[in-house]
Amino acid sequence: RGNYFAATGFFCHLPQIDIDIFLITNNHVIDGDDLEKRIKIDIKINDKIQKVIDLSKERFTYTNKELDFTLIEILELDNIDYYLNVDSYMGFRDYKNDEIYCLQYPLGQILQFSEGEVIKITKEKDKILHNIVTKKGSSGAPIILKENHKVIGIHRGKYCENGNIDIAIFMQYVISDVK
C-alpha cells in the first residue's frame, strides 16, 4: 500500500464473461478503495514502467474481499499484446497431484518461475492448496497447469506458516462469482 508496493498480477481472458481481457490480482493488492482513489496503475516489470492502466476511463472492475481477488477490464487502448487463458476443464477434474507452475515477481524482483503440484481443491471448490515455493510479493501470481499452460488459480499466500503449503483462489469460483 502507499505510493508503491510490490505484488504480482497478470492479464487473462476469462471464459463465459463478455469482457475480453482482465488484469487480475488479489483484493489485498488492489481493493475497491484503491479503484476509487487511483487515477492510474503503473505496471512495472523489472523496475521499468511497461504499461499504464488509466482507471479514469470507463471500464468494468470487480473485487471480492472475501475470496480475495480483483478484476480490472483491459480496454483496446491499453494495448495489451499478451495474456493467459483459463483451463477449460476446470469443472470436470480435481487436479490433485497435477503439476503446476507460477510466474511471480517477488518483492518487485525479476520474473521468477517456480514449480510444484496441486495438493487438493478445497471441498467448497473455491481454493487450491499447492506446494509451489513463493515469496512475499507473489500475491496475485497465476497458478498455471503444466500440461497445457492454462491458468487454474490466483496465488494468494501461505496456507500453513510452518509448512510448505500455499493457497490460491480457484479460477472456476472467480468466474462463477463474476457472472
Side-chain angles (χ1 to χ4, degrees):
R1 302 260 175 221
N3 292 335
Y4 173 78
F5 58 94
T8 304
F10 60 99
F11 300 107
C12 189
H13 170 74
L14 297 177
Q16 304 167 358
I17 296 176
D18 292 337
I19 295 166
D20 197 26
I21 303 171
F22 288 97
L23 170 63
I24 301 174
T25 192
N26 293 118
N27 175 270
H28 71 264
V29 173
I30 300 174
D31 64 18
D33 290 340
D34 290 328
L35 292 172
E36 288 178 16
K37 292 176 189 172
R38 291 182 188 266
I39 298 169
K40 66 179 183 168
I41 297 173
D42 293 334
I43 299 173
K44 291 185 175 188
I45 301 173
N46 300 334
D47 286 335
K48 295 180 184 158
I49 294 177
Q50 300 289 324
K51 297 284 181 185
V52 176
I53 304 298
D54 183 353
L55 293 177
S56 68
K57 304 287 183 199
E58 189 173 323
R59 62 179 81 225
F60 176 80
T61 58
Y62 187 88
T63 187
N64 184 316
K65 185 175 185 173
E66 183 181 323
L67 290 176
D68 194 20
F69 73 88
T70 295
L71 306 175
I72 300 170
E73 178 184 13
I74 297 301
L75 304 174
E76 196 172 309
L77 60 89
D78 295 322
N79 297 316
I80 300 301
D81 300 322
Y82 301 102
Y83 58 90
L84 299 169
N85 286 298
V86 172
D87 187 48
S88 57
Y89 295 106
M90 275 193 301
F92 306 103
R93 55 189 287 190
D94 69 5
Y95 296 103
K96 185 174 180 169
N97 300 323
D98 282 1
E99 293 179 328
I100 53 176
Y101 64 93
C102 177
L103 301 172
Q104 55 190 318
Y105 287 97
L107 298 175
Q109 298 171 2
I110 62 169
L111 179 65
Q112 294 182 15
F113 173 91
S114 295
E115 294 180 278
E117 64 182 32
V118 173
I119 295 168
K120 74 175 189 175
I121 305 293
T122 61
K123 185 169 58 171
E124 297 80 18
K125 297 200 180 300
D126 61 342
K127 302 203 181 45
I128 300 168
L129 300 184
H130 65 85
N131 63 3
I132 295 173
V133 175
T134 60
K135 300 174 186 170
K136 286 187 183 279
S138 298
S139 293
I143 302 298
I144 301 170
L145 193 59
K146 191 172 183 180
E147 75 182 44
N148 63 10
H149 311 290
K150 304 279 176 122
V151 177
I152 63 168
I154 307 165
H155 175 68
R156 184 173 173 185
K158 294 288 181 201
Y159 177 73
C160 176
E161 289 299 325
N162 297 331
N164 63 345
I165 300 174
D166 282 13
I167 193 164
I169 300 115
F170 191 31
M171 288 302 288
Q172 179 179 346
Y173 210 84
V174 170
I175 293 167
S176 63
D177 189 62
V178 175
K179 285 189 347 179

